[in-house]
Amino acid sequence: MSPQVRVLGIRHHGPGSARAIVRALTEFEPDTVLIEGPSDADPLVALAGSERMRPPVALLAYATAEPATAAFWPLATFSPEWQALQWALWNDADVRFCDLPASLALAADRPVGGDGRDPLAALAAAGGYDDFEQWWDAVVESGSGDEPGGTPDFDAITEAMSAVREITDPDEHTARREAHMRQVLRATIKAGAQKIAVVCGAAHAPALSGKLGPAAPDARLLRGLPKVKSSLTWVPWTHSRLSTASGYGAGITSPGWYHHLFTHREHTTARWFTKVARVLRDEDLPVSSAHVIEATRLADTLAALRGRPLAGLGEVTEATRAVLCDGDDVLLDLVTRRLVVGEALGAVPDETPTVPLDADLQARWKSLRLKRSALSKDLDLDLRKDLDLQRSQLLHRLRLVGVDWGVPAASTVRSTGTFRESWSLRWEPELSVAIVEASRWGSTIESAAHALVLDRARSPEVSLAQVVELLEQALLADLRDAIPQLLAAADSAAALDRDVEHLMAALPTLIRTLRYGDVRGTDLTSLGHVTDGLLVRICAGLPLAATGLDHDAADALRHAVDEVHTALGLRDEPDSTDRWLDALGALADRDDVDGLLTGRAVRLLRDMGRMGEAETTRRVSRALSVGSEPAVKARWIDGFVGAGGLLLVHDRNLLRLIDGWVSGLHEQDFLDVLPMLRRTFGAFTPPERRTLGEMIRGGVPVHAGVAVDAERGGRAVRATALILGVPA
């Protein structure tokens, strides 16, 4: 008896197709099931039957020598391929994949899988349906002539696709894929299979139906194709990633909705609106049972008016907007993200093949009680606790090796202590590829991070700032064995780098590391010597480095000066501070330096008490005196005032000088310097701008002195001293 072959053309990730596949397989009872997918993934098929395998999941294939070259074949609960796998495993049928092997697909100079077009979705759109599942139910299932729950006519789908293929011929890559599918089918028949079911995309069904013809043309088409050594495994996937193009061609826009359609066949619409209500209630919005009932009625009515047997996503969305969201598109977007797309994250069993680095990561996150989630989760850490400290070290090590599971975030805890760290955790499927890429550096997260840091530090092109940044990251990641070599690399890079701006860019990071390194219990004595040597070179070269700069370069140097000044204040080491202030004094006395820099130097010296009020006023008067161009004066004022509006609020003499200069500008001069002045004063906070405006308009006299109530002031001083615990 000749073998029976039934080709079941489906839509990838379609709930209707998934239900139809189960019914068709149950009716046909094949002994062999061939599924569209990389044929070299056959050894992984058995894992799909594990109780610990929970969709959505994906087959991951990557080039063994170059893991960045990778591809995914995702499967959800409502994917026909997944349901076919499950049926075959539960019914002891032989099951295998029949598409091009990943070793060939990865070597092809094109994306894996289809071209992004969905022929069945195109048929649905041509029939006037904006939701494929509505079309499938109305035309394929309900309109098939079968009894309710019967098997749709897959032959009719194949016939429709044959008509489509007559208009658009498949490209060369698709022809090779179909040639390989036919070769696998021939081999399956030759091996003795009697009843064979082929589950493939509807577009391929005509190429696999009927007589297969001679094998020679297919063999010639596949001969000589480029090939790479590849590795395959299962990895967790997410619903949101199903909404993008994948190894199975076109993505879907509503995976959460499709999952709901597949898992809830009765009272589908009412149950959906119940989920929507729950999401809105979680946001403290008043949604009652009456809202759910009214939304269900509206969706069903819209479907009836449009001549459709069931409410689809379009009707459900309109009812959600009108009844549950009160027309608010922001709330509708929330429902779309949470439910229509969804963020379900799958799981794979522990015995799934993986690289040693991934196994170490899984063991670490389990021991640290961290969970992977497709939703962003805030994690606040207290580094005084051993568990939180280890969590921090793991997340920093992962960032070093390029696995950005955690991203530093603003703290949700009202504390400014250096023992606080906040992270935002979110697992993305692409991180599985990043783990494979990082595995070349070591078999554990710690060893991989250690090797990668040292490799970057030894690079001939590495700059001093980059070495210092690596040192800081290594301290945060607790890579203690790498610290001595990184310190030596920083010392060597500093000795070879003659660019003062490069040295200034590195200094704040070094000081920050010195200041906060003791929180993590690291000995940084040798780092202090590197920092001191760096500061000596910066102070010696700053006046010369500031000479002859254009405006852009002066702006950049001013930012670097501010960063170094702030960092030295953080270090609070008298000798270093004195050396830095001496350098600023030399800069302030230079007449051949951009006024932005000399004005900034004067301001910083005044703030640190190195320059008295009288001297400061004299320098401001000289900078604004007749003889300089208005634009030059504006640059000086920008450097002096910067973002410090409080200086002018409290120092009325300086405010009077600047006010007098601005008031005395001629019309054209005023227009010329207005952009610079707007940038300067626009950086003030709103309260500062408001106060200064009132003072200038006369609300607060600029020239008059301020009366001081000594008794009230004394009470304030004593109260402050009591709070600080110092003698009044």
Side-chain angles (χ1 to χ4, degrees):
M1 184 177 68
S2 60
Q4 301 178 54
V5 178
R6 186 164 190 201
V7 178
L8 307 175
I10 49 86
R11 187 206 189 197
H12 303 300
H13 315 308
S17 294
R19 287 191 298 268
I21 281 294
V22 174
R23 293 199 298 269
L25 293 175
T26 302
E27 180 185 273
F28 184 49
E29 294 185 344
D31 55 47
T32 303
V33 179
L34 301 181
I35 301 174
E36 182 183 332
S39 56
D40 44 1
D42 287 347
L44 301 173
V45 165
L47 288 171
S50 171
E51 294 180 355
R52 293 185 296 276
M53 180 79 86
R54 186 181 69 250
V57 293
L59 284 168
L60 163 63
Y62 58 90
T64 307
E66 190 179 351
T69 303
F72 298 96
W73 286 263
L75 297 169
T77 301
F78 52 83
S79 299
E81 298 87 352
W82 178 258
Q83 291 301 320
L85 268 176
Q86 297 300 300
W87 187 94
L89 292 171
W90 277 100
N91 290 275
D92 294 325
D94 187 19
V95 57
R96 66 192 70 164
F97 294 107
C98 61
D99 205 345
L100 276 179
S103 56
L104 295 178
L106 292 173
D109 186 20
R110 56 167 294 136
V112 174
D115 58 4
R117 294 176 295 178
D118 188 342
L120 286 181
L123 286 179
Y129 287 84
D130 54 4
D131 183 354
F132 167 82
E133 290 304 312
Q134 283 184 331
W135 175 84
W136 180 276
D137 185 84
V139 177
V140 180
E141 294 197 15
S142 300
S144 64
D146 294 335
E147 295 297 323
T151 305
D153 190 348
F154 281 100
D155 292 337
I157 296 174
T158 301
E159 184 179 349
M161 289 299 101
S162 296
V164 173
R165 288 171 69 101
E166 290 177 1
I167 302 173
T168 57
D169 293 330
D171 60 24
E172 186 177 5
H173 181 69
T174 301
R176 291 195 181 105
R177 294 177 59 202
E178 292 173 349
H180 189 274
M181 293 181 193
R182 287 191 293 268
Q183 291 288 59
V184 173
L185 181 54
R186 291 187 182 100
T188 303
I189 294 172
K190 186 176 181 180
Q194 293 300 309
K195 299 181 72 175
I196 306 167
V198 182
V199 179
C200 63
H204 304 301
L208 305 177
S209 300
K211 292 184 179 181
L212 294 177
D218 289 339
R220 284 196 299 270
L221 196 58
L222 296 171
R223 188 178 299 126
L225 293 179
K227 187 176 183 179
V228 297
K229 184 178 180 181
S230 61
S231 301
L232 292 98
T233 187
W234 289 104
V235 295
W237 202 251
T238 65
H239 274 173
S240 63
R241 281 295 180 269
L242 287 170
S243 63
T244 58
S246 66
Y248 278 133
I252 54 175
T253 58
S254 50
W257 167 250
Y258 280 2
H259 181 83
H260 177 80
L261 289 182
F262 185 78
T263 54
H264 298 91
R265 285 291 286 164
E266 296 182 354
H267 308 295
T268 305
T269 307
R271 288 181 173 180
W272 175 261
F273 285 123
T274 302
K275 290 183 177 180
V276 174
R278 188 177 300 119
V279 167
L280 296 176
R281 286 170 188 156
D282 289 342
E283 299 297 324
D284 294 328
L285 296 170
V287 179
S288 66
S289 300
H291 286 89
V292 173
I293 295 170
E294 184 60 30
T296 304
R297 287 174 176 169
L298 177 57
D300 291 341
T301 302
L302 288 172
L305 289 172
R306 294 166 182 172
R308 296 172 180 176
L310 295 173
L313 182 59
E315 289 76 28
V316 165
T317 300
E318 291 177 42
T320 300
R321 177 190 285 111
V323 179
L324 298 175
C325 298
D326 291 327
D328 190 335
D329 284 339
V330 174
L331 293 181
L332 184 65
D333 180 66
L334 172 68
V335 172
T336 300
R337 286 185 286 107
R338 296 275 183 87
L339 288 181
V340 178
V341 176
E343 285 296 349
L345 176 66
V348 298
D350 294 339
E351 60 268 25
T352 303
T354 185
V355 293
L357 185 70
D358 192 22
D360 177 65
L361 175 57
Q362 293 184 40
R364 289 289 294 156
W365 77 45
K366 289 177 182 178
S367 67
L368 297 177
R369 300 198 292 275
L370 293 171
K371 292 184 179 180
R372 293 186 297 186
S373 173
L375 293 172
S376 294
K377 179 183 178 182
D378 294 331
L379 180 66
D380 288 298
L381 302 178
D382 184 342
L383 302 183
R384 297 170 298 182
K385 300 177 181 178
D386 184 62
L387 177 64
D388 283 0
L389 180 59
Q390 291 185 53
R391 287 173 170 177
S392 170
Q393 292 165 356
L394 174 64
L395 293 172
H396 280 293
R397 290 171 182 174
L398 287 173
R399 282 180 60 80
L400 273 171
V401 299
V403 182
D404 293 331
W405 177 21
V407 177
S411 177
T412 58
V413 178
R414 298 184 63 181
S415 172
T416 57
T418 57
F419 55 83
R420 290 285 183 190
E421 254 188 17
S422 291
W423 296 80
S424 177
L425 303 184
R426 179 175 179 174
W427 187 263
E428 301 279 3
E430 291 82 359
L431 295 178
S432 299
V433 177
I435 292 172
V436 175
E437 287 188 81
S439 64
R440 67 189 178 96
W441 296 104
S443 58
T444 67
I445 300 297
E446 181 178 4
S447 63
H450 179 275
L452 189 145
V453 162
L454 293 184
D455 181 78
R456 290 177 179 171
R458 293 168 183 151
S459 171
E461 293 81 18
V462 70
S463 67
L464 173 60
Q466 290 171 329
V467 174
V468 170
E469 184 179 358
L470 288 172
L471 174 61
E472 183 180 35
Q473 292 173 341
L475 287 168
L476 295 173
D478 194 32
L479 303 176
R480 304 189 180 202
D481 294 340
I483 300 301
Q485 297 177 65
L486 289 172
L487 286 171
D491 199 11
S492 300
L496 295 174
D497 200 329
R498 296 182 176 85
D499 193 313
V500 172
E501 285 194 55
H502 290 174
L503 303 180
M504 295 176 74
L507 189 67
T509 304
L510 286 173
I511 292 177
R512 187 167 58 246
T513 304
L514 273 174
R515 179 68 176 83
Y516 296 129
D518 58 345
V519 175
R520 297 172 182 269
T522 308
D523 183 11
L524 299 174
T525 304
S526 55
L527 184 59
H529 300 307
V530 176
T531 304
D532 291 337
L534 210 61
L535 181 61
V536 169
R537 296 182 58 198
I538 289 171
C539 292
L542 179 60
L544 182 61
T547 305
L549 301 180
D550 60 19
H551 287 348
D552 290 339
D555 288 343
L557 186 59
R558 170 199 169 176
H559 176 73
V561 166
D562 285 345
E563 291 290 316
V564 171
H565 187 79
T566 302
L568 289 171
L570 183 68
R571 188 182 184 187
D572 195 22
E573 202 277 318
D575 291 341
S576 299
T577 301
D578 288 342
R579 183 177 291 112
W580 170 247
L581 294 179
D582 289 342
L584 289 180
L587 181 64
D589 292 334
R590 298 288 292 266
D591 294 327
D592 54 349
V593 172
D594 191 305
L596 184 82
L597 296 172
T598 54
R600 197 61 180 166
V602 170
R603 167 67 185 278
L604 296 178
L605 290 169
R606 176 196 179 280
D607 290 348
M608 296 298 294
R610 273 293 189 96
M611 188 175 290
E613 298 296 331
E615 177 63 15
T616 304
T617 302
R618 185 184 68 80
R619 288 184 179 254
V620 173
S621 299
R622 187 177 68 181
L624 300 180
S625 62
V626 177
S628 299
E629 293 294 326
V632 175
K633 300 175 184 178
R635 293 278 295 176
W636 199 96
I637 290 299
D638 187 25
F640 179 75
V641 177
L646 284 177
L647 173 66
L648 299 181
V649 171
H650 295 293
D651 195 326
R652 297 166 185 272
N653 289 329
L654 291 180
L655 178 60
R656 185 175 67 255
L657 285 172
I658 296 174
D659 179 45
W661 168 65
V662 173
S663 301
L665 287 173
H666 296 295
E667 180 179 358
Q668 186 57 48
D669 291 338
F670 178 76
L671 293 177
D672 290 341
V673 302
L674 182 59
M676 175 68 70
L677 294 177
R678 179 175 292 170
R679 186 184 77 170
T680 302
F681 296 107
F684 295 172
T685 64
E688 291 171 347
R689 293 200 301 268
R690 184 169 55 252
T691 302
L692 288 173
E694 292 174 353
M695 295 171 69
I696 296 298
R697 286 194 301 268
V700 177
V702 173
H703 305 282
V706 178
V708 176
D709 188 327
E711 182 181 354
R712 292 179 61 192
R715 290 201 300 268
V717 170
R718 289 191 294 273
T720 303
L722 182 63
I723 293 172
L724 297 176
V726 297

